[in-house]
Amino acid sequence: MQRRGAAFWCLLGFTLCVCAFLIVPVGMSMLAGVTVNYQSGIESGFTLRWVMQVWDGYRDTIFRSIGIALACLVCTLVLGVPAAYALARAQSGFARAIEELLVMPVAIPGLATAMALIVTYNTLGHFRTSWTFILVGHVLFTLPFMVRSVLAVMGAIDLKTLEEGAASLGAGFMQRFFTVVLPNCRSGILAGALMVVTLSMGEFNMTWLLHTPLTKTLPVGLADAYASLRLEVGSAYTLVFFVMIVPLLIGIQLAARPLELGTKESRR
Amino acid sequence: MPRSDRLLLLLFLPAGIVFAAFFLVPLGQLFVIGGTGAQGWSAYGAILTNRNYLNSLITTTVLSAAVTAITLAISGVAGVFLTRNRFWWRAALVAMLTFPLAFPGVVIGFMVIMLGGRQGVVGDLAQWLTGERLVFAYSITGLLVGYVYFSIPRTILTVMAAAEKLDPRVEEAARSLGAGPLRVVRDVITPGLKPALLSAGAICFATAMGAFGTAFTLATRINVLPVTIYGVFTEQANIAVAAALSFVLGVLTWLVLALARTAAGSTVAAAG
């Protein structure tokens, strides 16, 4: 048994302070979003007025963000899972280099990526002003998370032996891929998918430059609301965002658990 | 080329084409445009020769370094504490510390306003304690607080994973040889965590250098580099200089991460 001396309680206190630093403002903003007048405190009563105001003014951004996040998920699945498989099977120095390259959009600031996209595709008017322009940015930014998450699982299971077994039983490539490879990687695919949707819903740095007045996403709307509307409305909008994102974040933490046990390489 | 290799190439091809068309080519274009403005290729030197840009670079670097140091100290202490002690609600604390990982920068800016803004909780607390309101959200302190806020969830898991692998017997040996607690932290725990601290620190630093949303929400007068670049792009419409500056910023953050990666395992940053 451990002795719980003064040092333990000091460190526990410190850790609790850090937790409070991260969590208290979240709770406060959620509270502020349903308070009649935040300045005079919760005694002023609770209301859904601000939430309704957000719903009326920014409903489109909510649906657009959900739509882009889902489209982004489809793209990263279609592009990322086969790419991860190819990288896992190739296992050469070249494959490692490609993987490093794919991660670059996460390593360099979104501002730079967005700027690069704009200077290149500015002249394609329809593309520039449509929501797919934002989607492209989101796919670049989230693809590494899908690829890495699937790669981590593929590295932990013995893919080669599994496939050889299936092949010796007469399974062709397509059959192996869909009935052996994909089911064995589902924990990685799930973890990657949750991360992709969460990150896409929250992406701001790129989207702020890529959006047009007609293609505002939720975080862009948030920035608008913070800058121009009263604190209660900004809070209510943030509350809506939290309600959308918190289940995803909890899902990520739950999905990460078996992955941590199964693989040593799973940490980003 | 063997048949199986051709198949792998085919599977990678869709991702490769998208990546090349929307990332590699645009990045090359960004580099070229950066050099074809009114100033030509000297635009790339502007970050060092132009006083405003240089100041912005220095401010951003100092701020990011301070954020990295503070975050590593906090995550180091809390991370080691949480790996060394087991109590039943420990998992809840770990969940709380990693929870804001995917918050966008704008929301984190708003969290700082909730803490240190004109109606913030720290202000209330300070007023109650000292009779004076404390408003720090819109100063460099606000930026620092916001950056530390989004850096803690990004570092704590790395530190905890490394602390898990430390052998407590080495610490016991040090203690039995007469080393005090501080000595143990300095000479045993910190060196053991060094690779993790390096990679976590690099993520922290690179994310802070490129962070835009938080500074944007707080609308501070402190011009961190991404805000400066945004200003050059939108207000001055000087696309060449904005392109050159963002290319330099991209290379800088990428270099920091690449250097740390060669020093210690694989790492990825996530934009804040």
Side-chain angles (χ1 to χ4, degrees):
Chain A
M1 257 338 267
Q2 290 158 312
R3 273 184 307 118
R4 301 216 150 147
F8 173 82
W9 297 109
C10 269
L11 289 170
L12 180 64
F14 176 79
T15 309
L16 286 176
C17 282
V18 179
C19 288
F21 167 58
L22 296 182
I23 298 302
V24 165
V26 175
M28 304 246 318
S29 80
M30 289 172 116
L31 200 63
V34 290
T35 305
V36 172
N37 186 328
Y38 187 65
Q39 187 93 59
S40 38
I42 48 171
E43 298 90 65
S44 62
F46 293 111
T47 176
L48 283 178
R49 197 177 129 204
W50 313 122
V51 178
M52 291 317 291
Q53 193 175 331
V54 168
W55 182 252
D56 289 339
Y58 290 98
R59 194 170 33 203
D60 59 320
T61 67
I62 298 170
F63 290 121
R64 190 170 295 108
S65 270
I66 295 175
I68 290 178
L70 292 179
C72 187
L73 174 61
V74 171
C75 291
T76 50
L77 282 174
V78 171
L79 300 173
V81 177
Y85 174 80
L87 292 174
R89 287 306 299 270
Q91 282 194 337
S92 59
F94 184 63
R96 296 285 307 163
I98 296 276
E99 194 196 328
E100 288 297 314
L101 207 63
L102 278 182
V103 175
M104 269 188 81
V106 185
I108 76 169
L111 193 73
T113 313
M115 204 83 86
L117 280 170
I118 289 172
V119 297
T120 313
Y121 293 104
N122 223 355
T123 47
L124 292 177
H126 284 299
F127 177 46
R128 171 71 184 89
T129 52
S130 91
W131 64 275
T132 49
F133 197 52
I134 299 173
L135 176 66
V136 163
H138 286 203
V139 169
L140 284 176
F141 176 59
T142 55
L143 190 62
F145 292 92
M146 178 63 83
V147 171
R148 287 219 149 184
S149 172
V150 176
L151 258 179
V153 176
M154 284 180 172
I157 58 177
D158 194 351
L159 203 59
K160 202 158 173 250
T161 314
L162 281 175
E163 272 205 81
E164 273 164 10
S168 72
L169 292 170
F173 170 73
M174 289 308 260
Q175 204 180 352
R176 288 201 313 264
F177 189 76
F178 284 102
T179 61
V180 177
V181 177
L182 288 188
N184 273 295
C185 295
R186 58 173 185 271
S187 65
I189 295 174
L190 178 70
L194 286 167
M195 201 68 199
V196 165
V197 173
T198 312
L199 287 174
S200 168
M201 293 249 255
E203 213 295 320
F204 174 79
N205 290 1
M206 256 187 250
T207 317
W208 182 255
L209 284 182
L210 299 179
H211 87 278
T212 67
L214 292 175
T215 56
K216 280 185 187 163
T217 64
L218 207 165
V220 169
L222 276 175
D224 257 12
Y226 294 156
S228 56
L229 301 171
R230 53 184 297 167
L231 186 80
E232 287 85 348
V233 181
S235 292
Y237 204 172
T238 314
L239 177 69
V240 172
F241 176 71
F242 281 145
V243 167
M244 289 166 65
I245 207 138
V246 165
L248 289 166
L249 289 171
I250 293 173
I252 289 176
Q253 297 208 336
L254 291 179
R257 247 172 235 172
L259 204 74
E260 261 169 46
L261 295 175
T263 69
K264 288 196 184 98
E265 268 258 293
S266 68
R267 255 171 260 277
R268 283 184 291 112
Chain B
M1 195 188 272
R3 200 169 157 266
S4 65
D5 279 8
R6 234 177 310 158
L7 187 69
L8 292 186
L9 190 69
L10 201 68
L11 285 171
F12 181 77
L13 211 58
I17 291 173
V18 168
F19 188 74
F22 295 113
F23 188 72
L24 295 180
V25 170
L27 215 58
Q29 184 79 357
L30 187 73
F31 180 70
V32 172
I33 286 191
T36 46
Q39 309 173 33
W41 291 101
S42 66
Y44 279 94
I47 197 160
L48 296 177
T49 53
N50 181 308
R51 183 177 287 275
N52 285 338
Y53 305 154
L54 183 63
N55 277 341
S56 175
L57 176 69
I58 292 170
T59 314
T60 316
T61 313
V62 172
L63 177 69
S64 303
V67 167
T68 308
I70 294 170
T71 306
L72 288 184
I74 293 175
S75 294
V77 173
V80 172
F81 170 74
L82 285 171
T83 26
R84 281 297 152 80
N85 296 281
R86 305 275 151 177
F87 36 93
W88 61 271
W89 40 284
R90 174 182 164 272
L93 292 189
V94 177
M96 274 190 226
L97 289 173
T98 49
F99 182 65
L101 185 66
F103 286 9
V106 265
V107 169
I108 285 159
F110 192 61
M111 296 297 107
V112 176
I113 292 176
M114 291 316 284
L115 279 173
R118 280 177 269 275
Q119 303 176 42
V121 65
V122 175
D124 290 342
L125 212 63
Q127 189 154 39
W128 182 68
L129 282 174
T130 64
E132 235 173 287
R133 273 205 90 76
L134 183 68
V135 176
F136 61 80
Y138 312 99
S139 67
I140 189 120
T141 318
L143 272 187
L144 190 81
V145 169
Y147 285 21
V148 169
Y149 188 105
F150 68 61
S151 299
I152 291 172
R154 287 187 166 80
T155 50
I156 192 107
L157 283 181
T158 316
V159 172
M160 284 180 65
E164 203 81 61
K165 292 195 190 100
L166 288 183
D167 188 351
R169 280 175 301 182
V170 181
E171 285 155 51
E172 268 164 45
R175 239 174 266 128
S176 72
L177 290 170
L182 283 179
R183 197 81 205 277
V184 172
V185 168
R186 198 191 67 191
D187 291 343
V188 181
I189 297 183
T190 312
L193 291 179
K194 202 177 148 200
L197 292 178
L198 254 176
S199 68
I203 291 179
C204 223
F205 187 81
T207 314
M209 287 292 287
F212 174 62
T214 309
F216 186 81
T217 302
L218 293 175
T220 39
R221 254 166 287 148
I222 298 110
N223 273 326
V224 287
L225 205 47
V227 174
T228 305
I229 295 173
Y230 180 71
V232 173
F233 185 65
T234 52
E235 281 152 36
Q236 306 172 22
N238 194 340
I239 292 163
V241 171
L245 289 176
S246 46
F247 191 86
V248 170
L249 177 65
V251 169
L252 260 175
T253 55
W254 184 76
L255 262 182
V256 169
L257 287 169
L259 280 177
R261 199 161 38 227
T262 48
S266 69
T267 49
V268 178

mmCIF file of all heavy atoms in Angstrom, chain A residues 75-87 98 102 139-140 143-144 147, chain B residues 8-24:
data_model
loop_
_atom_site.group_PDB
_atom_site.id
_atom_site.type_symbol
_atom_site.label_atom_id
_atom_site.label_comp_id
_atom_site.label_asym_id
_atom_site.label_seq_id
_atom_site.Cartn_x
_atom_site.Cartn_y
_atom_site.Cartn_z
ATOM 1 N N CYS A 75 -14.866 10.468 -47.790
ATOM 2 C CA CYS A 75 -13.629 10.637 -48.565
ATOM 3 C C CYS A 75 -12.444 9.978 -47.875
ATOM 4 O O CYS A 75 -11.651 9.275 -48.523
ATOM 5 C CB CYS A 75 -13.315 12.120 -48.766
ATOM 6 S SG CYS A 75 -14.467 12.943 -49.844
ATOM 7 N N THR A 76 -12.306 10.209 -46.558
ATOM 8 C CA THR A 76 -11.135 9.646 -45.878
ATOM 9 C C THR A 76 -11.214 8.126 -45.813
ATOM 10 O O THR A 76 -10.178 7.459 -45.832
ATOM 11 C CB THR A 76 -10.964 10.212 -44.454
ATOM 12 O OG1 THR A 76 -12.205 10.102 -43.764
ATOM 13 C CG2 THR A 76 -10.518 11.644 -44.465
ATOM 14 N N LEU A 77 -12.452 7.582 -45.738
ATOM 15 C CA LEU A 77 -12.584 6.120 -45.753
ATOM 16 C C LEU A 77 -12.160 5.565 -47.106
ATOM 17 O O LEU A 77 -11.361 4.635 -47.195
ATOM 18 C CB LEU A 77 -14.030 5.712 -45.454
ATOM 19 C CG LEU A 77 -14.490 5.768 -43.996
ATOM 20 C CD1 LEU A 77 -15.977 5.489 -43.890
ATOM 21 C CD2 LEU A 77 -13.701 4.780 -43.146
ATOM 22 N N VAL A 78 -12.711 6.160 -48.177
ATOM 23 C CA VAL A 78 -12.441 5.658 -49.520
ATOM 24 C C VAL A 78 -10.971 5.835 -49.896
ATOM 25 O O VAL A 78 -10.358 4.952 -50.497
ATOM 26 C CB VAL A 78 -13.367 6.371 -50.536
ATOM 27 C CG1 VAL A 78 -12.963 6.034 -51.956
ATOM 28 C CG2 VAL A 78 -14.812 5.976 -50.283
ATOM 29 N N LEU A 79 -10.394 6.977 -49.513
ATOM 30 C CA LEU A 79 -8.997 7.229 -49.864
ATOM 31 C C LEU A 79 -8.040 6.611 -48.856
ATOM 32 O O LEU A 79 -7.011 6.050 -49.221
ATOM 33 C CB LEU A 79 -8.729 8.744 -49.921
ATOM 34 C CG LEU A 79 -9.508 9.587 -50.907
ATOM 35 C CD1 LEU A 79 -9.222 11.058 -50.668
ATOM 36 C CD2 LEU A 79 -9.150 9.214 -52.332
ATOM 37 N N GLY A 80 -8.392 6.741 -47.574
ATOM 38 C CA GLY A 80 -7.432 6.448 -46.508
ATOM 39 C C GLY A 80 -7.243 4.980 -46.205
ATOM 40 O O GLY A 80 -6.107 4.535 -45.989
ATOM 41 N N VAL A 81 -8.346 4.206 -46.181
ATOM 42 C CA VAL A 81 -8.218 2.798 -45.778
ATOM 43 C C VAL A 81 -7.397 1.996 -46.803
ATOM 44 O O VAL A 81 -6.441 1.308 -46.419
ATOM 45 C CB VAL A 81 -9.604 2.178 -45.500
ATOM 46 C CG1 VAL A 81 -9.470 0.709 -45.153
ATOM 47 C CG2 VAL A 81 -10.296 2.927 -44.369
ATOM 48 N N PRO A 82 -7.703 2.107 -48.122
ATOM 49 C CA PRO A 82 -6.840 1.401 -49.086
ATOM 50 C C PRO A 82 -5.399 1.897 -49.035
ATOM 51 O O PRO A 82 -4.457 1.096 -49.132
ATOM 52 C CB PRO A 82 -7.469 1.736 -50.444
ATOM 53 C CG PRO A 82 -8.849 2.166 -50.145
ATOM 54 C CD PRO A 82 -8.830 2.780 -48.783
ATOM 55 N N ALA A 83 -5.213 3.218 -48.843
ATOM 56 C CA ALA A 83 -3.851 3.762 -48.784
ATOM 57 C C ALA A 83 -3.109 3.193 -47.586
ATOM 58 O O ALA A 83 -1.932 2.812 -47.695
ATOM 59 C CB ALA A 83 -3.900 5.292 -48.705
ATOM 60 N N ALA A 84 -3.801 3.104 -46.438
ATOM 61 C CA ALA A 84 -3.159 2.548 -45.237
ATOM 62 C C ALA A 84 -2.764 1.098 -45.479
ATOM 63 O O ALA A 84 -1.675 0.662 -45.097
ATOM 64 C CB ALA A 84 -4.107 2.657 -44.041
ATOM 65 N N TYR A 85 -3.654 0.359 -46.147
ATOM 66 C CA TYR A 85 -3.361 -1.041 -46.447
ATOM 67 C C TYR A 85 -2.109 -1.141 -47.329
ATOM 68 O O TYR A 85 -1.206 -1.940 -47.049
ATOM 69 C CB TYR A 85 -4.564 -1.682 -47.145
ATOM 70 C CG TYR A 85 -4.307 -3.081 -47.632
ATOM 71 C CD1 TYR A 85 -4.366 -4.149 -46.751
ATOM 72 C CD2 TYR A 85 -3.998 -3.325 -48.962
ATOM 73 C CE1 TYR A 85 -4.114 -5.440 -47.192
ATOM 74 C CE2 TYR A 85 -3.744 -4.605 -49.413
ATOM 75 C CZ TYR A 85 -3.807 -5.655 -48.530
ATOM 76 O OH TYR A 85 -3.549 -6.926 -48.963
ATOM 77 N N ALA A 86 -2.062 -0.305 -48.369
ATOM 78 C CA ALA A 86 -0.907 -0.324 -49.268
ATOM 79 C C ALA A 86 0.374 -0.002 -48.499
ATOM 80 O O ALA A 86 1.403 -0.665 -48.679
ATOM 81 C CB ALA A 86 -1.113 0.678 -50.402
ATOM 82 N N LEU A 87 0.301 1.002 -47.608
ATOM 83 C CA LEU A 87 1.493 1.388 -46.849
ATOM 84 C C LEU A 87 1.903 0.282 -45.878
ATOM 85 O O LEU A 87 3.085 0.024 -45.676
ATOM 86 C CB LEU A 87 1.233 2.693 -46.081
ATOM 87 C CG LEU A 87 1.068 3.947 -46.942
ATOM 88 C CD1 LEU A 87 0.669 5.143 -46.082
ATOM 89 C CD2 LEU A 87 2.356 4.255 -47.694
ATOM 90 N N ILE A 98 6.436 8.169 -47.622
ATOM 91 C CA ILE A 98 5.115 8.587 -48.097
ATOM 92 C C ILE A 98 4.223 8.909 -46.896
ATOM 93 O O ILE A 98 3.504 9.904 -46.883
ATOM 94 C CB ILE A 98 4.457 7.472 -48.938
ATOM 95 C CG1 ILE A 98 5.260 7.202 -50.203
ATOM 96 C CG2 ILE A 98 3.020 7.822 -49.263
ATOM 97 C CD1 ILE A 98 4.967 8.120 -51.349
ATOM 98 N N LEU A 102 2.289 12.372 -46.053
ATOM 99 C CA LEU A 102 0.836 12.475 -45.863
ATOM 100 C C LEU A 102 0.481 13.240 -44.596
ATOM 101 O O LEU A 102 -0.573 13.859 -44.507
ATOM 102 C CB LEU A 102 0.218 11.072 -45.779
ATOM 103 C CG LEU A 102 -0.080 10.329 -47.076
ATOM 104 C CD1 LEU A 102 -0.729 9.001 -46.771
ATOM 105 C CD2 LEU A 102 -0.997 11.149 -47.973
ATOM 106 N N VAL A 139 -10.394 17.242 -45.899
ATOM 107 C CA VAL A 139 -9.900 15.909 -46.229
ATOM 108 C C VAL A 139 -8.375 15.860 -46.053
ATOM 109 O O VAL A 139 -7.835 14.929 -45.454
ATOM 110 C CB VAL A 139 -10.304 15.501 -47.661
ATOM 111 C CG1 VAL A 139 -9.567 14.247 -48.098
ATOM 112 C CG2 VAL A 139 -11.804 15.284 -47.741
ATOM 113 N N LEU A 140 -7.676 16.900 -46.527
ATOM 114 C CA LEU A 140 -6.220 16.946 -46.371
ATOM 115 C C LEU A 140 -5.831 16.864 -44.907
ATOM 116 O O LEU A 140 -4.917 16.143 -44.517
ATOM 117 C CB LEU A 140 -5.668 18.260 -46.942
ATOM 118 C CG LEU A 140 -5.578 18.399 -48.442
ATOM 119 C CD1 LEU A 140 -5.108 19.799 -48.788
ATOM 120 C CD2 LEU A 140 -4.633 17.366 -49.011
ATOM 121 N N LEU A 143 -7.161 13.251 -43.291
ATOM 122 C CA LEU A 143 -6.691 11.985 -43.879
ATOM 123 C C LEU A 143 -5.582 11.309 -43.059
ATOM 124 O O LEU A 143 -5.634 10.099 -42.836
ATOM 125 C CB LEU A 143 -6.246 12.218 -45.330
ATOM 126 C CG LEU A 143 -5.957 10.975 -46.165
ATOM 127 C CD1 LEU A 143 -7.195 10.114 -46.306
ATOM 128 C CD2 LEU A 143 -5.429 11.363 -47.542
ATOM 129 N N PRO A 144 -4.572 12.069 -42.574
ATOM 130 C CA PRO A 144 -3.512 11.414 -41.801
ATOM 131 C C PRO A 144 -4.040 10.697 -40.562
ATOM 132 O O PRO A 144 -3.493 9.662 -40.179
ATOM 133 C CB PRO A 144 -2.606 12.574 -41.384
ATOM 134 C CG PRO A 144 -2.911 13.667 -42.323
ATOM 135 C CD PRO A 144 -4.316 13.494 -42.758
ATOM 136 N N VAL A 147 -5.468 7.380 -41.801
ATOM 137 C CA VAL A 147 -4.395 6.487 -42.258
ATOM 138 C C VAL A 147 -3.603 5.952 -41.066
ATOM 139 O O VAL A 147 -3.367 4.747 -40.947
ATOM 140 C CB VAL A 147 -3.467 7.228 -43.246
ATOM 141 C CG1 VAL A 147 -2.237 6.401 -43.560
ATOM 142 C CG2 VAL A 147 -4.214 7.549 -44.534
ATOM 143 N N LEU B 8 -0.765 -2.760 -54.880
ATOM 144 C CA LEU B 8 -0.600 -1.813 -53.781
ATOM 145 C C LEU B 8 -0.569 -0.383 -54.298
ATOM 146 O O LEU B 8 -1.163 0.522 -53.720
ATOM 147 C CB LEU B 8 0.682 -2.117 -53.003
ATOM 148 C CG LEU B 8 0.700 -3.429 -52.216
ATOM 149 C CD1 LEU B 8 1.967 -3.534 -51.390
ATOM 150 C CD2 LEU B 8 -0.522 -3.539 -51.322
ATOM 151 N N LEU B 9 0.128 -0.191 -55.405
ATOM 152 C CA LEU B 9 0.213 1.138 -56.008
ATOM 153 C C LEU B 9 -1.179 1.626 -56.401
ATOM 154 O O LEU B 9 -1.556 2.770 -56.156
ATOM 155 C CB LEU B 9 1.127 1.089 -57.232
ATOM 156 C CG LEU B 9 1.486 2.460 -57.816
ATOM 157 C CD1 LEU B 9 2.387 3.208 -56.851
ATOM 158 C CD2 LEU B 9 2.168 2.310 -59.165
ATOM 159 N N LEU B 10 -1.955 0.700 -56.976
ATOM 160 C CA LEU B 10 -3.318 1.027 -57.403
ATOM 161 C C LEU B 10 -4.177 1.438 -56.208
ATOM 162 O O LEU B 10 -4.980 2.362 -56.285
ATOM 163 C CB LEU B 10 -3.927 -0.204 -58.087
ATOM 164 C CG LEU B 10 -5.100 0.072 -59.022
ATOM 165 C CD1 LEU B 10 -4.615 0.827 -60.247
ATOM 166 C CD2 LEU B 10 -5.764 -1.235 -59.433
ATOM 167 N N LEU B 11 -3.980 0.750 -55.085
ATOM 168 C CA LEU B 11 -4.759 1.065 -53.888
ATOM 169 C C LEU B 11 -4.370 2.420 -53.307
ATOM 170 O O LEU B 11 -5.173 3.131 -52.735
ATOM 171 C CB LEU B 11 -4.544 -0.022 -52.823
ATOM 172 C CG LEU B 11 -5.260 -1.333 -53.078
ATOM 173 C CD1 LEU B 11 -4.810 -2.384 -52.086
ATOM 174 C CD2 LEU B 11 -6.764 -1.136 -52.981
ATOM 175 N N PHE B 12 -3.100 2.756 -53.458
ATOM 176 C CA PHE B 12 -2.637 4.032 -52.902
ATOM 177 C C PHE B 12 -2.965 5.201 -53.821
ATOM 178 O O PHE B 12 -3.082 6.336 -53.371
ATOM 179 C CB PHE B 12 -1.132 3.981 -52.651
ATOM 180 C CG PHE B 12 -0.606 5.247 -52.058
ATOM 181 C CD1 PHE B 12 -0.802 5.523 -50.704
ATOM 182 C CD2 PHE B 12 0.028 6.194 -52.834
ATOM 183 C CE1 PHE B 12 -0.366 6.707 -50.156
ATOM 184 C CE2 PHE B 12 0.464 7.387 -52.289
ATOM 185 C CZ PHE B 12 0.278 7.638 -50.941
ATOM 186 N N LEU B 13 -3.135 4.880 -55.108
ATOM 187 C CA LEU B 13 -3.259 5.919 -56.129
ATOM 188 C C LEU B 13 -4.314 7.002 -55.843
ATOM 189 O O LEU B 13 -3.996 8.189 -55.944
ATOM 190 C CB LEU B 13 -3.500 5.280 -57.502
ATOM 191 C CG LEU B 13 -2.943 6.069 -58.681
ATOM 192 C CD1 LEU B 13 -1.446 6.271 -58.520
ATOM 193 C CD2 LEU B 13 -3.241 5.348 -59.986
ATOM 194 N N PRO B 14 -5.579 6.631 -55.478
ATOM 195 C CA PRO B 14 -6.570 7.691 -55.247
ATOM 196 C C PRO B 14 -6.101 8.706 -54.210
ATOM 197 O O PRO B 14 -6.154 9.917 -54.444
ATOM 198 C CB PRO B 14 -7.796 6.928 -54.748
ATOM 199 C CG PRO B 14 -7.623 5.541 -55.224
ATOM 200 C CD PRO B 14 -6.148 5.283 -55.280
ATOM 201 N N ALA B 15 -5.610 8.222 -53.064
ATOM 202 C CA ALA B 15 -5.116 9.126 -52.025
ATOM 203 C C ALA B 15 -3.939 9.937 -52.554
ATOM 204 O O ALA B 15 -3.846 11.147 -52.316
ATOM 205 C CB ALA B 15 -4.710 8.336 -50.785
ATOM 206 N N GLY B 16 -3.062 9.276 -53.301
ATOM 207 C CA GLY B 16 -1.887 9.948 -53.836
ATOM 208 C C GLY B 16 -2.248 11.071 -54.785
ATOM 209 O O GLY B 16 -1.674 12.162 -54.712
ATOM 210 N N ILE B 17 -3.237 10.826 -55.652
ATOM 211 C CA ILE B 17 -3.637 11.856 -56.620
ATOM 212 C C ILE B 17 -4.249 13.051 -55.902
ATOM 213 O O ILE B 17 -3.889 14.205 -56.152
ATOM 214 C CB ILE B 17 -4.638 11.271 -57.646
ATOM 215 C CG1 ILE B 17 -3.911 10.265 -58.555
ATOM 216 C CG2 ILE B 17 -5.262 12.381 -58.483
ATOM 217 C CD1 ILE B 17 -4.841 9.515 -59.485
ATOM 218 N N VAL B 18 -5.176 12.784 -54.974
ATOM 219 C CA VAL B 18 -5.804 13.877 -54.222
ATOM 220 C C VAL B 18 -4.750 14.674 -53.473
ATOM 221 O O VAL B 18 -4.745 15.909 -53.488
ATOM 222 C CB VAL B 18 -6.875 13.322 -53.238
ATOM 223 C CG1 VAL B 18 -7.317 14.384 -52.256
ATOM 224 C CG2 VAL B 18 -8.060 12.782 -54.011
ATOM 225 N N PHE B 19 -3.828 13.957 -52.841
ATOM 226 C CA PHE B 19 -2.796 14.620 -52.049
ATOM 227 C C PHE B 19 -1.898 15.484 -52.931
ATOM 228 O O PHE B 19 -1.563 16.612 -52.579
ATOM 229 C CB PHE B 19 -1.965 13.565 -51.317
ATOM 230 C CG PHE B 19 -1.015 14.135 -50.331
ATOM 231 C CD1 PHE B 19 -1.471 14.643 -49.120
ATOM 232 C CD2 PHE B 19 0.345 14.181 -50.601
ATOM 233 C CE1 PHE B 19 -0.593 15.170 -48.202
ATOM 234 C CE2 PHE B 19 1.230 14.720 -49.679
ATOM 235 C CZ PHE B 19 0.766 15.215 -48.477
ATOM 236 N N ALA B 20 -1.537 14.954 -54.096
ATOM 237 C CA ALA B 20 -0.671 15.711 -54.996
ATOM 238 C C ALA B 20 -1.398 16.932 -55.550
ATOM 239 O O ALA B 20 -0.867 18.042 -55.558
ATOM 240 C CB ALA B 20 -0.193 14.810 -56.131
ATOM 241 N N ALA B 21 -2.652 16.736 -55.973
ATOM 242 C CA ALA B 21 -3.388 17.825 -56.630
ATOM 243 C C ALA B 21 -3.751 18.937 -55.648
ATOM 244 O O ALA B 21 -3.761 20.110 -56.003
ATOM 245 C CB ALA B 21 -4.649 17.279 -57.291
ATOM 246 N N PHE B 22 -4.066 18.560 -54.405
ATOM 247 C CA PHE B 22 -4.571 19.572 -53.482
ATOM 248 C C PHE B 22 -3.595 19.937 -52.372
ATOM 249 O O PHE B 22 -3.887 20.771 -51.538
ATOM 250 C CB PHE B 22 -5.903 19.115 -52.882
ATOM 251 C CG PHE B 22 -6.982 19.003 -53.897
ATOM 252 C CD1 PHE B 22 -7.519 17.773 -54.239
ATOM 253 C CD2 PHE B 22 -7.448 20.135 -54.550
ATOM 254 C CE1 PHE B 22 -8.503 17.673 -55.198
ATOM 255 C CE2 PHE B 22 -8.433 20.052 -55.514
ATOM 256 C CZ PHE B 22 -8.969 18.814 -55.843
ATOM 257 N N PHE B 23 -2.443 19.299 -52.366
ATOM 258 C CA PHE B 23 -1.475 19.707 -51.351
ATOM 259 C C PHE B 23 -0.095 20.000 -51.934
ATOM 260 O O PHE B 23 0.420 21.101 -51.785
ATOM 261 C CB PHE B 23 -1.367 18.656 -50.247
ATOM 262 C CG PHE B 23 -0.538 19.114 -49.093
ATOM 263 C CD1 PHE B 23 -1.021 20.087 -48.217
ATOM 264 C CD2 PHE B 23 0.738 18.612 -48.891
ATOM 265 C CE1 PHE B 23 -0.248 20.537 -47.166
ATOM 266 C CE2 PHE B 23 1.517 19.062 -47.836
ATOM 267 C CZ PHE B 23 1.012 20.026 -46.969
ATOM 268 N N LEU B 24 0.478 19.037 -52.634
ATOM 269 C CA LEU B 24 1.838 19.231 -53.127
ATOM 270 C C LEU B 24 1.898 20.323 -54.198
ATOM 271 O O LEU B 24 2.725 21.225 -54.118
ATOM 272 C CB LEU B 24 2.396 17.907 -53.673
ATOM 273 C CG LEU B 24 2.568 16.801 -52.630
ATOM 274 C CD1 LEU B 24 3.123 15.538 -53.269
ATOM 275 C CD2 LEU B 24 3.474 17.259 -51.496
#
